[in-house]
Amino acid sequence: MGRETNVLHIWGNKESMNLNPMILTNIQSSTYFKQKLFELKTYHEVIDEIYYRVNHLEPWEKGSRRTQGLTGMCGGVRGVGGGGIVSTAYCLLYKLYTLKLTRKQVIGLITHKDSPYIRGLGFMYVRYTQNPQDLFSWFCDYLDDEEELDVKAGGGTVISIGQMLRKWLIRLEWFDTLFPRIPVPIQNEIMDALRERYGNCIDSNAFYENGLIMKRSPPPELNEVLRDERKRLRKSRSRSTDGSRERKERRRRRSPSREKSPKRSSDRSSSHRHKHESRKKDSRSRSRSRDSSSERRHRRKHKHSRHHKSHRRDDHSSERTESIRNGRKRSHDE
């Protein structure tokens, strides 16, 4: 998207402004949005309302979220399943969206001098409605902005505009909701641009939590010192690992003070010998018992087979004698 025209194109869902469905439903059904904000028709009237009414940038008012007893996706995060009273800030943010702001009007919001909350809602409008490819170009001039505001409902979380924008570029979570997701290739480009500007300190929580950041890359001298420190730490770790290995090896070896006594060694050898002999005896007795049992089975088998054979011979001999006698009787009768 180019900056040459004053028309500001909306990215994503043009009906919901890419807001969480629960937050959008609560905004559209709230009395404040339907009655009070319905009367405001111009851009400047909405800015005046922001100046007088907004004192934090959370999506829900303090103590209005019903998250007790809810678990998983419905508990305390993402604005899902346990709605409450939607905040004035988010009602006014959606009111700005209904006015279809131009590029010039959005720039007027993020550079406003009267209140940091007007600027905060202007940056939030950009985060929700603009293409992720253009986010860094929108925010880059304000990443070191030191104007402070309290973003938590009820107070207690004072951060600068720059910290807030750095957090929005790196993380999706914002209290009990999520910003639109940034595609991975674009997120990698944003991270590279931040590393080029601030160095490796962007990987720490201090980069967007407490503002203890380095404004630019560290000088070469500091890089050398850090490199030497890393080398020293590696060497100390390697020494500690070597020492632990040596201690383990020493434990495995037997120390010379604990030499084997001859009496103990003879007792151990005799006990081993007795155990070995007893095992041999047991194995012999088992083998004998197996042999005797196999012999008994073999004898029984052969005995039965002989008995059956003798019976068969007796039967055949009796049949022969009867046939001979019958033949003799026939011949005598004839």
Side-chain angles (χ1 to χ4, degrees), residues 157-173:
T157 308
V158 178
I159 61 174
S160 67
I161 296 284
Q163 288 173 263
M164 184 177 70
L165 297 182
R166 294 194 296 268
K167 186 169 186 175
W168 290 357
L169 286 174
I170 293 174
R171 292 192 171 180
L172 298 179
E173 296 84 1

Side-chain angles (χ1 to χ4, degrees), residues 242-253:
D242 293 339
S244 62
R245 285 172 190 165
E246 288 176 2
R247 284 194 292 273
K248 285 180 182 177
E249 287 178 1
R250 280 196 219 109
R251 285 174 195 158
R252 285 173 192 165
R253 295 171 193 160

Side-chain angles (χ1 to χ4, degrees), residues 228-242:
D228 295 338
E229 186 68 19
R230 288 192 202 102
K231 285 181 182 178
R232 189 182 62 78
L233 288 173
R234 282 182 201 138
K235 284 180 182 178
S236 63
R237 285 173 190 165
S238 63
R239 284 173 191 163
S240 63
T241 54
D242 293 339

Side-chain angles (χ1 to χ4, degrees), residues 10-25 27-28 90 93-94 97-98 100 128-129 180:
I10 303 300
W11 175 85
N13 193 329
K14 293 179 173 60
E15 295 180 1
S16 66
M17 191 190 156
N18 302 310
L19 286 170
N20 185 286
M22 178 64 71
I23 294 174
L24 181 62
T25 303
I27 290 171
Q28 292 172 340
Y90 267 71
L93 178 67
Y94 191 69
Y97 180 72
T98 61
K100 305 299 179 187
Y128 271 110
T129 63

Side-chain angles (χ1 to χ4, degrees), residues 19-195:
L19 286 170
N20 185 286
M22 178 64 71
I23 294 174
L24 181 62
T25 303
N26 278 267
I27 290 171
Q28 292 172 340
S29 61
S30 69
T31 307
Y32 174 69
F33 180 78
K34 290 190 293 185
Q35 295 181 3
K36 175 66 178 174
L37 296 186
F38 181 76
E39 299 172 359
L40 306 180
K41 303 298 182 182
T42 65
Y43 166 77
H44 294 287
E45 288 176 342
V46 177
I47 287 180
D48 290 339
E49 185 72 11
I50 295 171
Y51 179 82
Y52 288 111
R53 297 294 300 271
V54 176
N55 55 13
H56 67 86
L57 295 181
E58 268 201 67
W60 306 98
E61 293 295 343
K62 184 183 177 182
S64 65
R65 289 271 289 150
R66 298 184 294 273
T67 58
Q68 189 174 4
L70 300 176
T71 58
M73 292 285 288
C74 298
V77 293
R78 302 177 183 239
V80 178
I85 300 172
V86 71
S87 68
T88 305
Y90 267 71
C91 288
L92 286 162
L93 178 67
Y94 191 69
K95 179 63 180 181
L96 288 171
Y97 180 72
T98 61
L99 297 177
K100 305 299 179 187
L101 300 181
T102 63
R103 183 182 301 280
K104 185 178 178 181
Q105 288 172 333
V106 173
I107 293 173
L109 284 174
I110 64 179
T111 57
H112 209 281
K113 302 294 184 182
D114 293 343
S115 170
Y117 294 102
I118 298 173
R119 298 184 66 197
L121 283 181
F123 286 119
M124 193 174 284
Y125 185 90
V126 171
R127 183 63 182 87
Y128 271 110
T129 63
Q130 295 307 292
N131 194 320
Q133 283 184 335
D134 302 323
L135 289 179
F136 189 79
S137 61
W138 275 101
F139 292 170
C140 64
D141 295 335
Y142 308 97
L143 292 177
D144 298 326
D145 196 308
E146 296 180 355
E147 186 175 8
E148 293 183 341
L149 72 168
D150 197 338
V151 294
K152 185 176 177 60
T157 308
V158 178
I159 61 174
S160 67
I161 296 284
Q163 288 173 263
M164 184 177 70
L165 297 182
R166 294 194 296 268
K167 186 169 186 175
W168 290 357
L169 286 174
I170 293 174
R171 292 192 171 180
L172 298 179
E173 296 84 1
W174 181 248
F175 292 101
D176 294 334
T177 188
L178 291 176
F179 285 122
R181 190 173 297 278
I182 300 174
V184 173
I186 299 173
Q187 185 69 61
N188 292 336
E189 291 177 4
I190 292 173
M191 297 300 286
D192 291 339
L194 290 172
R195 284 193 182 94

Side-chain angles (χ1 to χ4, degrees), residues 30 158 180 283 288 308 317 321:
S30 69
V158 178
S283 62
R288 285 172 188 169
H308 288 301
S317 60
T321 52

